[in-house]
């Protein structure tokens, strides 16, 4: 098992213009710790929605690569999203679940993945290409999707590295980073 921040640092190293949706809580903090970027949109107060946000972004920006980094608790909450993504088949989308088998935001209670629920198996059944950690970096940037990976990490409590909390600011900075000058015209 890896440490979660190490795993996310590896996945986001040399990210270039990769669009990232960071799931609620720990994964948003992990992405921020790897380097706060205007091309990362952290989910504040929307548990279970990261994969669907990623799908919408992938469909709206088919020429850009989109990565969703989320946790096992959020992935379990939004498991229906995997079926919707599988049906839509966005070639530019990768969903990575950082799985510590815990609900980190509510006291480290065990999630269902600690009791045998196989998120990679669910994703495979929904039509995703499933990759192990070693293959994920290439999948994120080069392999046609939808792609999926589960990264098992240690269940550790680590210091928070919080992204900005203001929703309007996050939306505006993401739009400007994505669309450039025309973001302010729409």
């Amino acid at each position: 098992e890896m440490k979660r921040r190490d795993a996310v640092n590896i996945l986001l190293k040399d990210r270039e213009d990769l669009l990232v949706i960071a799931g609620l809580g720990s994964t948003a903090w992990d992405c921020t710790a790897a380097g706060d970027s205007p091309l990362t949109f952290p989910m504040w107060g929307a548990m279970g929605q990261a994969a669907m946000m990623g799908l919408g972004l992938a469909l709206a920006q088919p020429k850009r690569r989109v990565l969703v980094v989320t946790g096992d608790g959020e992935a379990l909450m939004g498991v229906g999203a995997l079926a919707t993504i599988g049906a839509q088949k966005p070639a530019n989308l990768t969903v990575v679940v950082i799985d510590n088998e815990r609900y980190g935001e509510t006291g480290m209670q065990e999630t269902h993945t600690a009791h045998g629920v196989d998120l990679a198996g669910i994703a495979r059944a929904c039509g995703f290409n499933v990759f192990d950690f070693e293959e994920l970096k290439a999948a994120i940037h080069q392999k046609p999707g939808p792609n999926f990976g589960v990264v098992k990490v240690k269940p550790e409590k680590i210091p928070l590295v919080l992204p900005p909390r203001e929703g309007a600011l996050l939306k505006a900075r993401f739009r400007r980073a994505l669309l450039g000058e025309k973001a302010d015209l729409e």
Side-chain angles (χ1 to χ4, degrees), residues 12-162:
L12 294 182
K13 187 176 189 318
D14 304 320
R15 67 178 280 176
E16 298 172 13
D17 64 348
L18 180 67
L19 305 176
V20 177
I21 300 295
L24 179 72
S26 297
T27 49
W29 306 331
D30 296 337
C31 290
T32 302
D36 188 31
S37 168
L39 289 176
T40 297
F41 191 83
M43 300 299 291
W44 280 107
M47 188 168 177
Q49 298 303 309
M52 290 309 290
M53 285 285 293
L55 172 61
L57 186 57
L59 294 175
Q61 296 291 324
K63 294 183 173 140
R64 302 287 295 270
R65 300 299 290 199
V66 178
L67 171 64
V68 172
V69 181
T70 192
D72 50 307
E74 181 172 33
L76 288 162
M77 181 180 227
V79 79
L82 300 180
T84 301
I85 292 168
Q88 292 290 313
K89 298 178 180 41
N92 57 333
L93 178 62
T94 300
V95 176
V96 175
V97 177
I98 305 298
D99 184 2
N100 64 355
E101 301 181 350
R102 302 289 187 278
Y103 290 106
E105 309 323 300
T106 60
M108 298 297 277
Q109 302 90 343
E110 290 183 342
T111 67
H112 297 323
T113 62
H115 300 280
V117 172
D118 178 6
L119 287 170
I122 293 169
R124 192 176 287 108
C126 289
F128 281 78
N129 305 310
V130 177
F131 297 94
D132 66 22
F133 186 73
E134 296 304 317
E135 302 167 317
L136 269 175
K137 187 82 169 169
I140 290 166
H141 294 282
Q142 300 160 352
K143 305 275 187 196
N147 300 317
F148 190 88
V150 174
V151 181
K152 289 287 189 177
V153 297
K154 295 176 182 175
E156 57 184 343
K157 280 297 237 181
I158 50 181
L160 307 182
V161 181
L162 300 177

